[in-house]
Amino acid sequence: MKNILLIILFFSFYGANAQKFSKDLWHKGEIDLTTGETVSGFIKYDLQNDNLIYKNGNTVRSYNATRVEAWQIVDQKSKQVRYFFTLPYSTDGTSYKKPTFFELLTEGEPYSLLGREKIVEKVENMYDPYWFGGRNVRVTVQVDDYFLINDDGKIAFCSRELEEALTLLNDKDKVLKKFIKVNKLDIERREDMVQVIDYYNSLNQQ
């Protein structure tokens, strides 16, 4: 009975504290439309479908990427200003490129770092003495897909796996590996990936 009660309490606590992601919230911001008009108000975004919902008072509108040049928000969770741009990109590997939202994570030369966040499920092992030391729990987390864009506007997908990511930066891969090791960086964290790209760009300015 004790074990059952503990399980019930755990899932009740987990459900009550289910994480809300930025995409689930309304953020103060503005949208630059392809018509040249800029609208200000509150924005909820859906990067998976490249769509925005905008509201201001009683006005509620939906904009897809074909109607938007750029947009920015003050993120309600992080309290940081985030900048997004619409760029042509093929998300399915074909030659057809469609308007796609990208977040600017850091700007520089020869590369700027772009991101597209997504929500995924993964399995984590949680310690529990009543389950022989641990058990697997499925959790929902937010991760970033990275992209590098050069001065010519060419966009390349950049893996979150270090060895694969460094194939795009192979002219400085040994120096970058040392930089990452010394600073204990994990490129799955966007703030760490920003440091890596900023450092790479600084090396190319020397």
Side-chain angles (χ1 to χ4, degrees):
M1 177 63 73
K2 183 178 179 181
N3 287 359
I4 295 174
L5 288 174
L6 284 172
I7 294 170
I8 292 173
L9 286 172
F10 171 81
F11 282 106
S12 296
F13 175 83
Y14 183 78
N17 290 274
Q19 183 176 1
K20 275 196 171 183
F21 300 101
S22 288
K23 74 176 188 64
D24 302 316
L25 305 175
W26 288 98
H27 311 275
K28 190 173 182 180
E30 59 183 36
I31 305 171
D32 296 328
L33 302 175
T34 54
T35 59
E37 179 186 7
T38 297
V39 295
S40 301
F42 289 88
I43 299 168
K44 183 181 285 189
Y45 63 84
D46 178 0
L47 293 186
Q48 182 176 351
N49 295 300
D50 293 301
N51 191 69
L52 302 178
I53 300 176
Y54 159 82
K55 71 176 182 179
N56 189 347
N58 294 325
T59 301
V60 179
R61 296 173 184 162
S62 178
Y63 297 107
N64 61 32
T66 61
R67 301 179 62 192
V68 175
E69 287 188 351
W71 51 284
Q72 66 182 61
I73 58 172
V74 180
D75 191 289
Q76 191 169 320
K77 282 179 68 69
S78 67
K79 309 304 179 186
Q80 296 179 337
V81 180
R82 300 171 63 189
Y83 299 94
F84 298 81
F85 297 89
T86 303
L87 299 169
Y89 185 73
S90 173
T91 55
D92 58 5
T94 67
S95 59
Y96 173 71
K97 297 180 180 181
K98 66 182 184 68
T100 304
F101 289 146
F102 289 94
E103 181 176 4
L104 178 64
L105 302 182
T106 189
E107 187 174 11
E109 294 181 359
Y111 291 120
S112 293
L113 177 66
L114 308 176
R116 278 176 60 87
E117 68 183 44
K118 63 183 180 181
I119 307 301
V120 299
E121 285 190 345
K122 69 177 185 178
V123 176
E124 291 187 348
N125 185 266
M126 301 188 67
Y127 175 76
D128 187 335
Y130 297 100
W131 288 71
F132 304 101
R135 58 195 178 84
N136 291 331
V137 176
R138 187 174 295 276
V139 297
T140 304
V141 297
Q142 179 177 301
V143 300
D144 289 302
D145 280 339
Y146 299 129
F147 304 83
L148 297 179
I149 181 170
N150 63 15
D151 295 337
D152 296 327
K154 184 178 179 180
I155 301 173
F157 173 76
C158 183
S159 173
R160 293 191 302 272
E161 297 293 331
L162 180 59
E163 292 300 327
E164 292 184 30
L166 290 178
T167 60
L168 295 176
L169 310 168
N170 57 13
D171 59 321
K172 300 286 190 301
D173 57 345
K174 293 182 180 179
V175 179
L176 290 176
K177 281 184 179 180
K178 182 177 180 180
F179 176 77
I180 291 168
K181 183 177 181 180
V182 169
N183 292 280
K184 300 179 180 178
L185 302 180
D186 178 358
I187 66 168
E188 288 199 14
R189 295 194 295 263
R190 64 162 55 189
E191 59 270 22
D192 288 6
M193 186 59 168
V194 166
Q195 286 191 60
V196 172
I197 299 304
D198 285 345
Y199 181 62
Y200 175 84
N201 285 335
S202 71
L203 293 173
N204 282 274
Q205 303 306 314
Q206 296 175 2

